[in-house]
Amino acid sequence: MGAYILRRLLLIIPTLLGIMIVNFTLVQFVPGGPVEQIIAQIEGQGDVFAGFAGGGGDTGAGAEPVGGVFDDKYVGARGLPPEFIAELEKEFGFDKPPLERFLNMMGNYLTLDFGESYFRSISVIDLVLEKMPVSISLGLWSTLIAYLVSIPLGIRKAIKDGSRFDTWTSGAIIVAYAIPGFLFAILLLVLFAGGSYWQIFPLRGLTSDNWDSLSLLGKIADYFWHIALPIIALTISAFATLTLLTKNSFLDEIKKQYVMTARAKGLSESKVLYGHVFRNAMLIVIAGFPAVFIGVFFGGSIIIETIFSLDGLGRLGFEAAVARDYPVIFGTLFIFGLMGLVVGIISDLMYVLVDPRIDFEKREG
């Protein structure tokens, strides 16, 4: 197992490098970089895309996008002196060729120097740490709740397979899965956050304004009061997959010979189910916990964060992409890509922990 883990760790380097190369290359062909953002604000356009819309097709002869900026003319920069444009390019590092910029960036990343945001005057690491509590709250609680509900429900559905209970619960979770998370979030706001009916939960934020003056119990209650609706909205669609996965895993194990043998020996049904079947059936469900958490943590919260005005990593990534804040974009991409690859290894270790009979080295051989 040690050799397998070492190979997987070594594969992280070329995989992560490939991710960074592909994304850095794509950015070089995307117009509307940070220099254009500054120029658009100076010209009173407010946003670089307004400059593109208002500038028509007149971008200057021979203008070509390089590094997210234009070498000859910038849209909306007709009245600005060339010296000012050159100073902006130097400040953002666009006076260097793309390859040199990429090598410098990766060299800094090796020393865990992810740079500073172009527009926020804060380091990327500090920015990520600042937004982390919101994303951890959403990812951790929604994943835990999904598992705590789906596993017992899936086991019950397997035991009652084909019954009325199995039928109506399947219909309920499929309907829940079909409802878009953002639509359910808006419905929750309208019903329970003072939209048109009851004002039971707060409309936005992770904590109240008087958070610092609250007692420890008050802070805990206030935290869960704020996080309740976002967690429900984020978790509602996760029940279907986990519940049906648990049910099918149990049904597959129940039909195996060792279960029939255990029953023939006179073991009680609960002993058969939870002493023998549970461990084997839960292998794929429990071992996949890290990957499920990371999936919710990274990809499932941007819309929920926006609707509930939560300042998390999903919203940070979206705003950085819109503003062309390249240090934040590439820094978070590197950090999250590395975390995702490490979690893949952790998931494999979870399989071995749950069932020591699994040997990845023999499978590779």
Side-chain angles (χ1 to χ4, degrees), residues 115-128 130 328:
E116 186 176 286
S117 169
Y118 283 158
F119 305 107
R120 302 185 186 220
S121 297
I122 183 175
S123 70
V124 173
I125 288 292
D126 291 339
L127 197 56
V128 170
E130 178 185 317
V328 176

Side-chain angles (χ1 to χ4, degrees), residues 76-202:
R78 300 291 185 263
L80 298 177
E83 296 80 9
F84 177 76
I85 303 298
E87 186 65 27
L88 277 179
E89 290 180 340
K90 184 177 181 180
E91 180 179 348
F92 289 115
F94 293 127
D95 57 330
K96 301 179 179 66
L99 179 60
E100 183 179 350
R101 296 204 311 274
F102 178 77
L103 294 177
N104 290 338
M105 180 182 72
M106 295 305 297
N108 292 333
Y109 285 1
L110 292 177
T111 62
L112 301 181
D113 178 11
F114 297 98
E116 186 176 286
S117 169
Y118 283 158
F119 305 107
R120 302 185 186 220
S121 297
I122 183 175
S123 70
V124 173
I125 288 292
D126 291 339
L127 197 56
V128 170
L129 293 177
E130 178 185 317
K131 313 298 183 185
M132 191 78 77
V134 171
S135 295
I136 289 180
S137 295
L138 293 176
L140 181 62
W141 288 116
S142 61
T143 304
L144 284 176
I145 292 173
Y147 268 78
L148 289 175
V149 173
S150 297
I151 290 178
L153 180 59
I155 295 174
R156 187 66 177 173
K157 285 173 64 61
I159 296 173
K160 299 291 187 179
D161 183 41
S163 66
R164 292 181 61 185
F165 173 81
D166 180 40
T167 302
W168 74 259
T169 53
S170 294
I173 62 175
I174 290 174
V175 170
Y177 181 76
I179 299 175
F182 74 91
L183 185 61
F184 192 71
I186 295 173
L187 177 63
L188 291 176
L189 285 178
V190 171
L191 290 178
F192 302 110
S196 299
Y197 295 90
W198 305 282
Q199 192 168 358
I200 301 175
F201 295 95

Side-chain angles (χ1 to χ4, degrees), residues 22-308:
V22 169
N23 285 274
F24 187 86
T25 302
L26 290 174
V27 165
Q28 308 314 304
F29 299 98
V30 178
V35 176
E36 283 96 331
Q37 294 282 0
I38 298 296
I39 292 172
Q41 294 175 12
I42 292 174
E43 294 292 330
Q45 298 168 357
D47 188 90
V48 65
F49 301 107
F52 281 106
D58 183 15
T59 58
E64 295 180 356
V66 179
V69 300
F70 288 89
D71 283 337
D72 300 328
K73 300 279 188 181
Y74 288 88
V75 176
R78 300 291 185 263
L80 298 177
E83 296 80 9
F84 177 76
I85 303 298
E87 186 65 27
L88 277 179
E89 290 180 340
K90 184 177 181 180
E91 180 179 348
F92 289 115
F94 293 127
D95 57 330
K96 301 179 179 66
L99 179 60
E100 183 179 350
R101 296 204 311 274
F102 178 77
L103 294 177
N104 290 338
M105 180 182 72
M106 295 305 297
N108 292 333
Y109 285 1
L110 292 177
T111 62
L112 301 181
D113 178 11
F114 297 98
E116 186 176 286
S117 169
Y118 283 158
F119 305 107
R120 302 185 186 220
S121 297
I122 183 175
S123 70
V124 173
I125 288 292
D126 291 339
L127 197 56
V128 170
L129 293 177
E130 178 185 317
K131 313 298 183 185
M132 191 78 77
V134 171
S135 295
I136 289 180
S137 295
L138 293 176
L140 181 62
W141 288 116
S142 61
T143 304
L144 284 176
I145 292 173
Y147 268 78
L148 289 175
V149 173
S150 297
I151 290 178
L153 180 59
I155 295 174
R156 187 66 177 173
K157 285 173 64 61
I159 296 173
K160 299 291 187 179
D161 183 41
S163 66
R164 292 181 61 185
F165 173 81
D166 180 40
T167 302
W168 74 259
T169 53
S170 294
I173 62 175
I174 290 174
V175 170
Y177 181 76
I179 299 175
F182 74 91
L183 185 61
F184 192 71
I186 295 173
L187 177 63
L188 291 176
L189 285 178
V190 171
L191 290 178
F192 302 110
S196 299
Y197 295 90
W198 305 282
Q199 192 168 358
I200 301 175
F201 295 95
L203 187 61
R204 60 176 61 87
L206 192 61
T207 57
S208 299
D209 295 334
N210 62 336
W211 167 264
D212 294 331
S213 63
L214 296 175
S215 64
L216 177 60
L217 291 178
K219 289 181 177 180
I220 294 175
D222 183 74
Y223 167 76
F224 283 107
W225 183 48
H226 280 77
I227 207 70
L229 294 186
I231 291 300
I232 294 173
L234 194 59
T235 309
I236 189 68
S237 62
F239 291 128
T241 302
L242 282 173
T243 301
L244 295 179
L245 180 61
T246 302
K247 175 191 173 183
N248 292 333
S249 297
F250 255 78
L251 287 177
D252 288 342
E253 292 297 323
I254 288 173
K255 296 176 182 178
K256 290 184 178 179
Q257 184 65 41
Y258 75 90
V259 176
M260 298 172 56
T261 302
R263 285 171 173 166
K265 290 181 177 180
L267 294 179
S268 64
E269 191 66 16
S270 61
K271 182 67 175 178
V272 172
L273 289 175
Y274 298 104
H276 293 77
V277 175
F278 183 83
R279 180 172 180 174
N280 295 327
M282 288 296 97
L283 173 62
I284 190 172
V285 178
I286 297 175
F289 180 89
V292 173
F293 170 69
I294 289 296
V296 176
F297 182 74
F298 290 149
S301 62
I302 178 172
I303 298 178
I304 302 300
E305 288 177 12
T306 302
I307 292 175
F308 290 96

Side-chain angles (χ1 to χ4, degrees), residues 302-351:
I302 178 172
I303 298 178
I304 302 300
E305 288 177 12
T306 302
I307 292 175
F308 290 96
S309 299
L310 298 174
D311 199 8
L313 293 175
R315 194 172 176 183
L316 170 66
F318 173 75
E319 292 176 350
V322 171
R324 300 296 194 268
D325 197 343
Y326 293 153
V328 176
I329 293 174
F330 291 122
T332 53
L333 178 66
F334 183 89
I335 296 171
F336 298 157
L338 179 61
M339 290 178 63
L341 292 171
V342 171
V343 164
I345 300 176
I346 295 176
S347 295
D348 289 347
L349 295 179
M350 289 287 289
Y351 278 106

